[in-house]
Amino acid sequence: MSDIAASSFVRQELVPERPAPIKTTGFIGFLRTRLFNSPTNILLTIVSILVLWLTVIPAVKFLLVDAVWRGTDRNACLAENAGHVVGACWPYVQAKFAQFIYGFYPEPERWRVNLTFLLAALLLLPLLIPRLPAKGLNAGLFFIAFPIVAFFLLHGGGLAGFGVSWIAGLLSGFADSIGDAGRKVASLGETTAVVGSLLFWFGKLVVLFSIAVSYLIWPLIWLRDQIQASSRPVWTDFAVTAAVVSILLFVLNGSFRTGWRSLIVSLAIFAGIGAVIAVMGLDRGGLPIVDTRVWGGLLITLVVSVTGIVTSMPVGIALALGRRSTIPLIRIFSVAFIEFWRGVPLITVLFFATYMLPLFVPAGFTIDGLVRVLIGIALFAGAYNAEVVRGGLQAIPRGQGEAASALGLSWWKTTGLIVMPQALRHVIPGLVNSFIALFKDTSLVSIVALFDLLGQLRASFADPVWATPTTLFTGFAFTGLIYFAFCFAMSRYSQFVEHRLNAHRKN
């Protein structure tokens, strides 16, 4: 035992302290672990710093440091008057700000544009906040009621007819246009030797079809004439339309057994519509008419982009489902539609919608120039959204639909409640990417005489009062910041929605 104790080692001094571990948290840790942890990252960090130094610093210097903030004309933004190198000429933006926002919209009526923007913000913000209740009512107000109110606010005018009169006029014009086309085809057949008889009899059949349609819609035409002959045709038409629609909903939803809810909802909706008509004076001519040709600036950009985004979604979903349909006719039509609209540039679509679309509408039926552009952009964007949505549909396992069928769900319920929500969740990044591209592509509408934000910017350069060497760069910097703000907001909100919908998944 003593030998063991004698051979054991007993330390006579303390063990020296170990060196502190390398810090991996905080700012120093971030630099050490993310930016300077390898030769490649060190090189990339240095290159990135140089790029930022050569781009961000001059931009900040131009926009803020060397900028001119006060002035009444171009003299304030000249270097010899400012006493230093002049950057951005912000007095020019202040002077042209109203033109950038409203275009040539009459100044006394610009409160209507401001009210439209305010209503859009008040209805859109509750939709974007997930925890707020009454999403169904809010969505109905934003997607159905707001576009109608915004149209009469921005365009002005009143109601010439409400429901029955409008439908009767549309069908009457459709029948007349078909009859005119049939007569032209028949007259062409009389002068053609080869296939003249076929064209002649085909034209005659078209004329007979138009006559049959005219007889079928005769009750509607008679009812329209009676409404127009009344003392207050708008309210008479409104009452007749409300009664017809409410009774139809009441009968189709179970009549006296289960139709009362639909009847009450329909009457409540028509009561709200009647209140809007009375408040805005639409039965008495409404507000002064402002032609869409004088609209411009951010107003046109938002109208075109928001309308295109909202209307292209149902078009894209319908085309995506049609392309996957088992019915050959629907599938072939969907494929042809998608490939046609994706195969032509947007400029061609805008020209076609502006100058060719009026040739395909019934006689006596005119379409406003802005509405033509909106229709063309909606169809164009819908074709692209269709392929994005189809990619999401293909990502859904086949067993989802089979399980729904086993539970007895119909195709509509399976698609609307099970398949489509999952598919749209998968393609949020692709859809938002299309929306951002559409928002920026609205600048192309200037080729069809609609001056959006960039169009108004280019028009403002012609003013000699603000002709300076930095005016051009200041204007493009200002509009670029506006575009970036909207696009960045859409991008960040899409990431928020994507993260929220995928919160149940493990990363």
Side-chain angles (χ1 to χ4, degrees), residues 425 496-507:
R425 185 179 63 193
F496 163 73
V497 173
E498 186 179 0
H499 177 73
R500 186 172 182 271
L501 294 178
N502 295 322
H504 64 283
R505 295 188 175 186
K506 294 182 179 181
N507 294 328

Side-chain angles (χ1 to χ4, degrees), residues 12 19 80 234 300 345 432 440 472 499-500:
Q12 299 299 323
E80 54 268 22
V234 173
I300 282 288
V432 175
K440 293 184 293 185
L472 180 70
H499 177 73
R500 186 172 182 271

Side-chain angles (χ1 to χ4, degrees), residues 372-397:
R372 301 175 201 170
V373 170
L374 295 179
I375 293 173
I377 289 180
L379 298 178
F380 181 83
Y384 280 88
N385 290 341
E387 290 300 282
V388 177
V389 175
R390 188 169 69 92
L393 293 173
Q394 290 180 340
I396 305 302

Side-chain angles (χ1 to χ4, degrees), residues 426-478:
H426 290 319
V427 297
I428 288 176
L431 287 176
V432 175
N433 185 56
S434 299
F435 296 160
I436 292 175
L438 177 61
F439 182 82
K440 293 184 293 185
D441 287 343
T442 54
S443 58
L444 295 176
V445 299
S446 60
I447 66 173
V448 289
L450 292 177
F451 291 93
D452 67 321
L453 181 57
L454 283 179
Q456 291 295 338
L457 174 66
R458 289 191 289 267
S460 68
F461 292 153
D463 188 357
V465 177
W466 293 102
T468 67
T470 60
T471 299
L472 180 70
F473 303 102
T474 304
F476 280 113
F478 175 71

